[in-house]
Amino acid sequence: MQRYFVAPEQFGTDQVSIGGEDARHIAKVMRGKAGDKLIVSDGVSREALVEIALIEIGEVVVNILEPLEMTHEPRIKITVAQSLPKGDKLETVIQKCTEIGAVAFAPFLSERTIVQYDERKESKRLERWRKITKEAAEQAHRNIVPAVLSPLSWKQLLQSFSGYDAVYFCYEKEEGLQLRSAAAPWLSALPPESAGKVMIVVGPEGGFSPEECRAAEEAGAVSVGLGSRILRCETAGMVAAACILYESGEMGGA
Ligand code: SAM
């Protein structure tokens, strides 16, 4: 069943108003008609089974049939921090990690970031990245739309670590501690109902320097390996997010 995210203020007591691109999609692509059922979510706390009541130019009004439980979200809240990669690789990371269950993305700049970040294009790129999270969240039946932060400087990234219960700095030269050994004990010690906040930090195509690894550890991150194979920068975050959610039992199964 098609799912749409709307802003909380569009959610009324008995009806929801759907506008913009989603209204066009319902009318033109889905060829919606009165009586058709959809799912709408405000991406925060309300989700409902609804039925089309009225289709007008630029607006679709739906009647709320029944509220739905928001049960598709992992309790481990993963933020994927990714050093800005070249081309559209970040779009791949955002799409796939949204499907996997990440709740936020924090692009950042590091020593070996190749792409020249142009602040003038920031709003356009942010808009594109946020569109991708919304579409991926709808496709994956997520209850929330992950956030995409404005790109952070290296210093801002380090300062953000204190806001997380665990920060795993994926370091390709880490021959000691591997992600599973670092995360498993912490996850199993987590009280069943509590939601742990985790950041996964992934470098650019050229990787991290030893100095960056040291600085990250001093700021509270744990340097971890992801096994002996070198993953592409756009693969590493997906692997780390999936491994953590698998380890915490949130990829299905007991
Ligand atoms: N230029 C580096 C090299 O050839 O050794 C590879 C960097 S890798 C393409 C990009 C990022 O993915 C790394 O900075 C790291 O964050 C992550 N990564 C890839 N493979 C990893 C591994 N086996 N262990 C930990 N992190 C890894």
Side-chain angles (χ1 to χ4, degrees):
M1 188 176 291
Q2 198 67 25
R3 169 186 293 260
Y4 295 92
F5 284 101
V6 298
E9 58 271 16
Q10 289 172 260
F11 242 96
T13 320
D14 306 313
Q15 289 192 322
V16 181
S17 159
I18 303 172
E21 182 55 31
D22 287 342
R24 197 194 64 77
H25 186 264
I26 294 170
K28 299 276 181 253
V29 177
M30 302 304 292
R31 297 189 185 286
K33 56 187 184 314
D36 286 355
K37 292 190 176 42
L38 309 165
I39 290 174
V40 289
S41 169
D42 69 358
V44 179
S45 61
R46 292 185 69 184
E47 187 159 304
L49 175 68
V50 300
E51 177 181 74
I52 296 178
L54 179 68
I55 296 186
E56 288 182 332
I57 304 280
E59 184 187 24
V60 173
V61 179
V62 296
N63 292 328
I64 294 176
L65 298 179
E66 62 174 289
L68 297 175
E69 283 289 299
M70 299 180 89
T71 56
H72 295 177
E73 290 306 309
R75 72 188 170 97
I76 305 298
K77 308 298 176 200
I78 294 178
T79 294
V80 176
Q82 178 91 34
S83 179
L84 272 177
K86 287 188 298 187
D88 59 1
K89 291 177 194 167
L90 185 65
E91 296 182 11
T92 304
V93 172
I94 287 174
Q95 185 187 62
K96 299 309 170 197
C97 289
T98 295
E99 292 169 45
I100 291 167
V103 296
F105 297 94
F108 65 90
L109 300 166
S110 57
E111 248 175 67
R112 299 176 187 169
T113 304
I114 299 168
V115 71
Q116 293 304 323
Y117 187 68
D118 178 349
E119 286 200 4
R120 283 165 306 162
K121 293 189 195 138
E122 174 168 323
S123 56
K124 215 156 169 42
R125 293 189 80 185
L126 268 174
E127 196 184 315
R128 169 100 185 109
W129 293 335
R130 288 171 177 158
K131 187 167 183 289
I132 291 170
T133 51
K134 178 174 181 292
E135 288 166 356
E138 284 167 349
Q139 177 276 324
H141 291 191
R142 294 287 301 270
N143 300 125
I144 60 107
V145 178
V148 182
L149 310 182
S150 297
L152 303 172
S153 66
W154 175 248
K155 190 161 170 268
Q156 287 169 327
L157 175 77
L158 297 185
Q159 287 166 344
S160 72
F161 288 177
S162 57
Y164 295 86
D165 301 311
V167 178
Y168 296 114
F169 183 85
C170 299
Y171 186 39
E172 61 277 20
K173 296 198 173 9
E174 178 57 63
E175 287 171 2
L177 187 63
Q178 301 299 297
L179 176 62
R180 186 170 189 208
S181 316
W186 178 74
L187 289 167
S188 54
L190 210 56
E193 291 318 307
S194 67
K197 269 189 81 176
V198 173
M199 177 181 266
I200 293 166
V201 185
V202 177
E205 291 85 347
F208 285 122
S209 67
E211 294 71 30
E212 286 177 313
C213 182
R214 255 194 301 284
E217 289 182 308
E218 277 160 25
V222 174
S223 167
V224 294
L226 296 175
S228 56
R229 293 170 292 287
I230 295 295
L231 308 174
R232 286 177 182 272
C233 62
E234 64 272 29
T235 310
M238 293 181 221
V239 167
C243 288
I244 288 173
L245 292 180
Y246 178 80
E247 190 67 39
S248 68
E250 301 195 87
M251 297 299 276

